[in-house]
Amino acid sequence: MRGGGRQRVRTARNRTAASTRWLERQLNDPYVRRAKAEGYRSRAAYKLLELDEKFGLLKGARRIVDLGVAPGGWAQVARKRVPAANVVGIDLLPTDPIDGVTLFQMDFTAEDAPERLRDALGGPADLVMSDMAANTVGHAQTDHLRTMALVEAAAWFAIETLRPGGGFIAKVLAGGADNDLVALLKREFTTVKHAKPPASRKESSEWYVIAQGFKGRADDAPPADG
């Protein structure tokens, strides 16, 4: 976007220096401007777009689960890339309706949440996406453990929900997924990789783990002929 140069934000009454810096960063973020121009609800949409370009996550997907769907950027990308797909999303926060997306406002870790998501899917998922992160408390180790607990829960949901050959993507923090989680994913998927898309801010600690080629269970395989 040409012209105008970098925008500065004056510190207003009742606005902290931190919030001023955040607002200034938002105003000068090309992904924020692009999202607004292209109708996406958040700059996070471009993280999924870039990861899909690299890994082909959405190709041929018919049933997609979006964990941590709010405000809806990833679900919008899924609908745009595969318009015929059945997309189901869940988040503690409210999410404005998205055409063709079934939304649940509830805690993903609630006992009945996984079954409600599966019922809405109507069959095994092709892709489980998780952009969930725990609310931070300011203590790095605690924040990491809380977020990784969510990632692990999402991974087990994926293992119990995906069709053979399906994929799983989840946001993790700096350093990637924990060793135990990586070992689990490597047992269950053909390939497991970490990536940081260009749309993820350099100063951000977030990375994504991408697991593809779900091996499935023996009872998931189609019956043999004869």
Side-chain angles (χ1 to χ4, degrees), residues 51-169:
L51 290 169
D52 185 46
E53 287 292 333
K54 185 172 182 177
F55 296 101
L57 297 163
L58 294 165
K59 185 178 180 180
R62 295 177 299 169
R63 297 185 182 97
I64 301 169
V65 182
D66 187 348
L67 307 175
V69 63
W74 279 26
Q76 286 180 302
V77 170
R79 286 289 296 158
K80 186 173 182 179
R81 286 286 171 100
V82 276
N86 179 16
V87 183
V88 180
I90 187 170
D91 204 298
L92 270 172
L93 299 173
T95 308
D96 290 338
I98 303 170
D99 184 47
V101 179
T102 302
L103 297 169
F104 294 97
Q105 185 181 349
M106 62 184 300
D107 188 346
F108 167 65
T109 62
E111 186 176 349
D112 60 334
E115 199 58 40
R116 292 184 69 176
L117 291 169
R118 292 189 195 102
D119 287 346
L121 272 180
D126 297 286
L127 176 65
V128 173
M129 318 185 294
S130 172
D131 203 26
M132 294 188 296
N135 291 330
T136 58
V137 296
H139 184 266
Q141 187 175 7
T142 301
D143 291 340
H144 179 78
L145 289 172
R146 285 165 54 127
T147 290
M148 291 312 301
L150 279 178
V151 176
E152 184 176 352
W156 278 111
F157 171 79
I159 290 166
E160 294 165 358
T161 306
L162 286 168
R163 65 161 177 81
F168 171 64
I169 174 176

Side-chain angles (χ1 to χ4, degrees), residues 12-29:
R13 186 182 302 174
N14 300 325
R15 182 191 293 148
T16 65
S19 64
T20 299
R21 287 194 298 271
W22 179 88
L23 180 57
E24 187 171 291
R25 185 179 67 177
Q26 289 295 101
L27 289 172
N28 291 285
D29 188 324

